[in-house]
């Protein structure tokens, strides 16, 4: 039997994608958490980019979440990508859109001043409006209708950030976006998405954000 090890970090959204996919496939796997601030030598030897996730498949090492999720989807049922090549390519493109949003979120929480914070707020708002427009043409509850897909696995970790952000600030990202709100709710309720992080994830993320020394950090401390 193939032994799967997911090398992880407690807060990494890309790790969550892989964990969600593994759970949806209903396969057992070992999860190993590393401290990226103090990377062990064995991890440096395995990871070409020095990043997580890694998926160790027996003696083979896979890196980059998209490659990992595609491998899992090609080898373990049920398939989470559409069978049609055009729709499958479109789904992969929307997963890249989710990655771009994660980059904006990173810029949002590391911005050192109000101007940078507002720029990233605008970037996120623009992408969320684009998503709302796309979802208006889809039936839901998931991105691909009734079927959970790898696009859903990519966006679950995106929305999870806002559960913590919204305890302190209200940028109005989801205002007037009923389709986006509904998708966010259904993803948050999905077992695979809930279990992709540890129970103390909100606390860990809260501490991480407060300690960034960023503009968001100052807003969080002021609101506490």
């Amino acid at each position: 039997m193939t032994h799967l090890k997911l090398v992880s970090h407690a807060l990494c959204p890309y790790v969550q994608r892989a964990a969600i996919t593994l759970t949806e496939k209903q396969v057992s796997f070992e999860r190993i958490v590393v401290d990226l601030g103090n990377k062990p030598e064995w991890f440096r030897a395995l990871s070409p980019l020095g990043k997580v996730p890694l998926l160790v498949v027996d003696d083979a090492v896979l890196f980059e979440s998209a490659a990992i999720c595609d491998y899992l989807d090609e080898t373990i049922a049920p398939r989470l990508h559409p069978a049609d090549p055009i729709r499958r390519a479109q789904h992969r493109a929307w997963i890249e859109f989710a990655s771009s949003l994660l980059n904006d979120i990173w810029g949002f929480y590391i911005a050192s001043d109000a101007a940078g914070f507002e720029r990233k707020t605008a970037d996120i708002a623009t992408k969320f409006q684009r998503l709302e427009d796309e979802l208006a043409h889809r039936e839901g509850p998931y991105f691909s209708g009734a079927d959970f897909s790898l696009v859903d696995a990519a966006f679950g970790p995106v929305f999870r950030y806002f559960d913590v952000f919204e305890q302190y600030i209200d940028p109005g990202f989801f205002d007037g976006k009923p389709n986006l709100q509904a998708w966010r709710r259904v993803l948050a309720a999905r077992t695979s998405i809930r279990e992709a992080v540890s129970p103390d994830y909100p606390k860990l993320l809260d501490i991480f954000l407060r300690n960034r020394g960023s503009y968001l950090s100052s807003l969080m401390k002021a609101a506490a």
Side-chain angles (χ1 to χ4, degrees):
M1 180 178 293
T2 300
H3 183 211
L4 301 176
K5 291 191 292 187
L6 181 64
V7 182
S8 310
H9 179 270
L11 297 178
C12 177
Y14 296 98
V15 166
Q16 293 175 45
R17 292 182 184 182
I20 292 164
T21 303
L22 285 159
T23 301
E24 291 290 336
K25 302 290 184 177
Q26 298 183 4
V27 293
S28 61
F29 63 99
E30 178 185 0
R31 191 160 181 172
I32 301 170
V33 177
V34 297
D35 179 1
L36 295 179
N38 185 25
K39 299 172 185 176
E41 286 305 317
W42 65 263
F43 173 75
R44 293 178 185 275
L46 288 181
S47 179
L49 297 175
K51 300 191 300 184
V52 292
L54 300 177
L55 184 68
V56 183
V57 185
D58 293 330
D59 295 326
V61 179
L62 305 180
F63 64 100
E64 286 297 300
S65 62
I68 290 169
C69 292
D70 277 348
Y71 163 78
L72 293 170
D73 205 46
E74 291 166 4
T75 59
I76 306 170
R79 293 300 298 267
L80 300 178
H81 261 325
D84 176 74
I86 290 289
R87 292 186 61 230
R88 187 163 62 248
Q90 289 172 334
H91 274 222
R92 284 180 171 136
W94 281 107
I95 290 169
E96 285 301 308
F97 188 92
S99 297
S100 179
L101 247 174
L102 287 173
N103 287 335
D104 289 333
I105 291 169
W106 174 78
F108 176 82
Y109 69 67
I110 70 159
S112 60
D113 55 29
F117 182 81
E118 289 168 5
R119 280 195 300 272
K120 282 303 167 186
T121 298
D123 289 342
I124 294 169
T126 297
K127 284 189 171 67
F128 274 173
Q129 185 59 59
R130 182 65 185 83
L131 269 176
E132 175 67 17
D133 295 342
E134 178 67 23
L135 293 170
H137 302 294
R138 297 175 176 271
E139 294 183 0
Y142 298 109
F143 187 80
S144 194
D147 298 324
F148 186 89
S149 72
L150 289 180
V151 177
D152 299 294
F155 276 94
V158 170
F159 295 140
R160 197 192 311 274
Y161 276 103
F162 296 90
D163 297 339
V164 173
F165 294 156
E166 290 170 354
Q167 294 178 33
Y168 300 97
I169 60 172
D170 181 18
F173 288 130
F174 298 92
D175 293 350
K177 299 178 180 64
N179 298 295
L180 197 61
Q181 290 178 26
W183 192 30
R184 179 188 180 185
R185 285 194 299 269
V186 76
L187 292 183
R190 184 87 176 184
T191 299
S192 64
I193 291 175
R194 292 201 319 269
E195 295 181 353
V197 295
S198 63
D200 61 348
Y201 170 89
K203 180 180 178 181
L204 293 175
L205 180 58
D206 189 290
I207 293 169
F208 172 79
L209 294 172
R210 284 174 178 271
N211 290 337
R212 295 298 301 182
S214 66
Y215 186 76
L216 177 62
S217 304
S218 68
L219 295 180
M220 292 172 67
K221 291 173 183 176

